[in-house]
Amino acid sequence: MDIVAVSNSNVLDYLNDPSPRTLGRSALEWLDQLQKPTIIRVAGRDRSRTRAMATLLHGNEPSGLLALHRWLLEQHTPAVNMLFLLGGIYPAKIPPTLSWRQLPDGRDLNRCFKEPFEGEEGAIARAMLVELHNAKPECLLDVHNTSGSGPAFAVSITNDAAHQALTSLFTDRLIITDLRLGALMEYSEQEVPTVTIECGGSQDEQAHELAYEGLVRYCSRPDVLSLEKADWDVTVLRNPIRVELAPEATIEYRLEPTGHADLTFPPDIEHRNFGIVSPDEPLGWVGKKGLGILTAIGHNRKENMTQVLQVRDGKIYPAQALRTFMITTNPVIAKSDCLFYAVKATGEPIF
């Protein structure tokens, strides 16, 4: 694909060094003004370099938008040129605002950053890649909220000093995965250090503050790719298993199973995020179909549920001590994306 030849004029809007009077009185008012996925450019002290940050790829993940709006209102002058990409404007604006991950019957935008770039989401992803290609940033962040409440962490496909340094601007946990889903973080394969930041739950004030504080560090520091200047050491977890629920399966979040769902999790299952669960601690309950409704997919697309989960007396238990994360209590996300990720309690891959 000759990505330079693609025109973005019908897909994206552009804002250059926006002044406070154009940003509305709040992030929601600003969002209401935005009509298309939007590119924002802010000139830095060093005009020879550019850094990039994408956010709102999912319309129900507001922390990055809130942080960016606050940062723009404060009229900071960044250390280098900044390129911001707001992708999921259309689902974010559907009432109730900031509650839709993607358009009804639409595709997950963060699964569209690869050919053949089909449909509206594919066109947006392709246009965003054109902007990145033309800007040639020295690094790229993609700021999200987790699908459930829990601690912040980062995800990347590359583990080196630059990626750990970018992670340390926001958090001390980095997940390394070889799984390819068409996510923006795979831009790292263009030899541009790229990290996804999962700030925490979309309703957590702490997640919004973390996004803002990390953004300030990212924009203000002359060097963000040196691990020697990192704020803290980063713990690296490699190649988590992705546990998915079959499309036709049903899930409920209750203290006890009703017998009507294929899978039941307790309402406080999010408390398991980044905790260690032993083989003697139940995660939930399965119905008559047992574990047949679930798949455990490794980075090489290998499937091996027996090393991940087991069933005893209708209850689901870890097959070995696990560290779990990205657990959600949103049944829509649990079915459309994934149920949770897991590694061994030691942080090593399960298989």
Side-chain angles (χ1 to χ4, degrees):
M1 180 187 69
D2 184 7
I3 199 166
V4 181
V6 179
S7 172
N8 290 339
S9 59
N10 296 323
V11 180
L12 304 174
D13 278 340
Y14 297 85
L15 298 173
N16 294 318
D17 294 308
S19 66
R21 67 177 181 272
T22 67
L23 297 170
R25 293 166 296 181
S26 68
L28 290 180
E29 189 172 301
W30 184 42
L31 176 62
D32 188 57
Q33 295 173 10
L34 299 176
Q35 298 303 310
K36 294 180 182 178
T38 301
I39 302 298
I40 302 160
R41 302 186 184 100
V42 179
R45 290 187 295 274
D46 182 350
R47 302 293 179 91
S48 69
R49 294 189 289 151
T50 298
R51 293 173 195 158
M53 187 187 95
T55 195
L56 204 69
L57 293 191
H58 296 138
N60 62 342
E61 298 177 4
S63 285
L65 174 72
L66 296 172
L68 177 57
H69 180 259
R70 178 177 169 184
W71 185 85
L72 290 171
L73 278 180
E74 292 171 348
Q75 292 289 280
H76 297 272
T77 299
V80 303
N81 295 332
M82 295 301 304
L83 177 74
F84 299 103
L85 307 97
L86 296 176
I89 298 297
Y90 298 137
K93 288 168 67 74
I94 298 175
T97 306
L98 294 170
S99 63
W100 289 80
R101 180 182 178 90
Q102 60 208 56
L103 290 173
D105 301 321
R107 299 172 63 202
D108 184 333
L109 178 58
N110 205 29
R111 298 294 180 266
C112 296
F113 289 94
K114 62 178 180 179
E115 294 184 293
F117 301 114
E118 295 177 336
E120 184 172 46
E121 291 82 7
I124 294 168
R126 187 179 193 181
M128 291 175 66
L129 290 174
V130 170
E131 296 299 328
L132 289 169
H133 179 88
N134 292 338
K136 296 179 173 56
E138 62 185 17
C139 49
L140 167 64
L141 295 181
D142 180 19
V143 178
H144 287 258
N145 288 106
T146 53
S147 52
S149 184
F153 62 96
V155 188
S156 183
I157 64 173
T158 305
N159 180 26
D160 60 19
H163 289 79
Q164 290 187 29
L166 287 172
T167 295
S168 73
L169 298 171
F170 292 79
T171 180
D172 61 353
R173 299 181 183 89
L174 174 60
I175 310 297
I176 299 297
T177 179
D178 293 333
L179 193 62
R180 300 293 184 269
L181 299 171
L184 180 58
M185 71 174 178
E186 293 158 27
Y187 197 71
S188 186
E189 294 177 332
Q190 304 297 318
E191 298 184 358
V192 176
T194 303
V195 174
T196 292
I197 304 295
E198 299 280 356
C199 294
S202 62
Q203 305 302 313
D204 297 344
E205 189 62 37
Q206 182 178 355
H208 306 333
E209 190 64 25
L210 182 144
Y212 170 76
E213 292 176 354
L215 173 60
V216 170
R217 288 189 282 265
Y218 184 53
C219 296
S220 64
R221 296 183 178 180
D223 182 6
V224 294
L225 297 176
S226 173
L227 195 55
E228 294 178 359
K229 299 179 181 179
D231 291 329
W232 48 65
D233 293 333
V234 174
T235 299
V236 178
L237 306 176
R238 183 176 291 278
N239 282 328
I241 295 300
R242 178 180 166 94
V243 179
E244 297 182 0
L245 186 64
E248 70 279 2
T250 55
I251 181 171
E252 292 181 341
Y253 296 89
R254 296 179 178 274
L255 293 174
E256 296 287 342
T258 63
H260 301 302
D262 296 315
L263 177 67
T264 304
F265 273 168
D268 64 351
I269 188 69
E270 291 177 326
H271 294 163
R272 298 290 193 182
N273 278 317
F274 278 100
I276 294 175
V277 189
S278 77
D280 297 323
E281 295 179 87
L283 287 168
W285 301 264
V286 287
K288 297 178 181 179
K289 298 177 183 177
L291 292 179
I293 58 167
L294 299 175
T295 54
I297 302 172
H299 66 279
N300 54 4
R301 292 289 176 179
K302 181 180 178 182
E303 207 283 334
N304 192 341
M305 180 60 73
T306 60
Q307 294 190 46
V308 184
L309 298 174
Q310 57 184 325
V311 176
R312 300 198 303 268
D313 299 324
K315 293 183 178 180
I316 307 171
Y317 294 86
Q320 57 184 303
L322 299 178
R323 187 182 300 271
T324 55
F325 51 97
M326 285 292 279
I327 301 175
T328 179
T329 54
N330 185 325
V332 175
I333 295 175
K335 292 188 64 172
S336 64
D337 189 31
C338 78
L339 204 57
F340 62 86
Y341 288 84
V343 294
K344 291 182 179 180
T346 59
E348 296 300 311
I350 295 175
F351 56 82

